[in-house]
Amino acid sequence: MNLLLFEPGELSPDGTLTLRDRRLVHVRTVLRVQVGDDVAVGQVGGRIGQGIVRALDDEHAVLEVQLTQDPPTPPGIELVLAIPRPKILRRVLQATAAMGCKRLALVCSYRVEKSYLHSPALAPEAIREELILGLEQGRDTVLPEVSVHRFFKPFIEDELEAAFPNTRRFLPHPKASDPLPGIGPGRAVLAIGPEGGWTEYEAKTLEARGFLPFTAGPRILRVDVAVPYLFGQLALRR
């Protein structure tokens, strides 16, 4: 936990924050703070600053909060992602938030197991929990906007333009031969398929919507590896 996050409603009118949950365990057992020490804190959706420990025992910690900085600027890279296995999804959500992605569309493509749609990992509260863990890692406060789409074709035809307007679009594809070009300024969106890859129909449909195919190299990567790897490539090419 590189940033202790709190909800706006947790902050008292006097500017203090009381911890009684896993965050208390963290500051006591991992950070090993004492009264008078300070820890990095951030308000979800708001600013970042310091929390000075004013009281501490086994039951609670009281921090005097001062928020002085804006959260980091997002890299402007967004994701369309075929829904991965629930265990992998949790890792991807954390990585997505930690890297600063602010929009993620999870899509049930042809090669996605339909049972994944019924996983508790896709419940809004479960998604939010993983995103919070990612923000704590990446020292950010702004939650990504995550949407879940049950069908590929309706998403591409009816929702893609509204969700990702005015974006440069990129499609890593094993049959592509051209490397990733420079992506320039502005927003970019990356479409990453399931571990079995997008079907030929899905890839052609994405291309027709402006997604530029590129090769990501000869290796086949698991989704939880491919997402940060490809995200980093786009960030570097900017």
Side-chain angles (χ1 to χ4, degrees), residues 185-204:
R187 293 167 58 203
V189 58
L190 181 64
I192 301 176
E195 291 185 4
W198 299 111
T199 66
E200 195 65 24
Y201 163 77
E202 290 167 344
K204 292 297 185 184

Side-chain angles (χ1 to χ4, degrees), residues 5-51:
L5 289 176
F6 63 90
E7 301 289 345
E10 292 186 279
L11 197 62
S12 298
D14 63 358
T16 58
L17 171 67
T18 300
L19 307 178
R20 303 180 187 276
D21 53 15
R22 68 178 180 89
R23 297 168 297 180
L24 171 63
V25 175
H26 184 82
V27 298
R28 292 187 68 250
T29 63
V30 178
L31 300 181
R32 300 181 183 274
V33 301
Q34 303 293 328
V35 173
D37 291 346
D38 60 77
V39 297
V41 300
Q43 180 175 295
V44 175
R47 307 190 82 194
I48 292 172
Q50 298 294 321

Side-chain angles (χ1 to χ4, degrees), residues 157-233:
E157 293 182 349
D158 303 329
E159 301 176 68
L160 176 70
E161 296 300 329
F164 300 97
N166 304 315
T167 51
R168 294 199 66 188
R169 299 171 180 179
F170 299 93
L171 174 66
H173 198 279
K175 293 184 179 180
S177 56
D178 293 331
L180 178 67
I183 68 173
R187 293 167 58 203
V189 58
L190 181 64
I192 301 176
E195 291 185 4
W198 299 111
T199 66
E200 195 65 24
Y201 163 77
E202 290 167 344
K204 292 297 185 184
T205 301
L206 288 164
E207 287 184 55
R209 296 286 174 168
F211 283 85
L212 179 68
F214 71 95
T215 177
R219 303 180 188 278
I220 303 299
L221 304 176
R222 287 202 318 260
V223 172
D224 57 332
V225 176
V227 169
Y229 174 76
L230 294 167
F231 194 99
Q233 283 200 357

Side-chain angles (χ1 to χ4, degrees), residues 1-6 17 19 22-23 26-27 31 39-51 63 66-67 69-72 131-142:
M1 185 189 295
N2 297 315
L3 185 69
L4 191 152
L5 289 176
F6 63 90
L17 171 67
L19 307 178
R22 68 178 180 89
R23 297 168 297 180
H26 184 82
V27 298
L31 300 181
V39 297
V41 300
Q43 180 175 295
V44 175
R47 307 190 82 194
I48 292 172
Q50 298 294 321
L63 278 60
Q66 300 173 349
L67 301 177
Q69 307 170 37
D70 292 329
L131 296 177
I132 288 291
L133 292 174
L135 292 179
E136 290 175 343
Q137 174 65 35
R139 292 178 64 92
D140 197 352
T141 64
V142 181

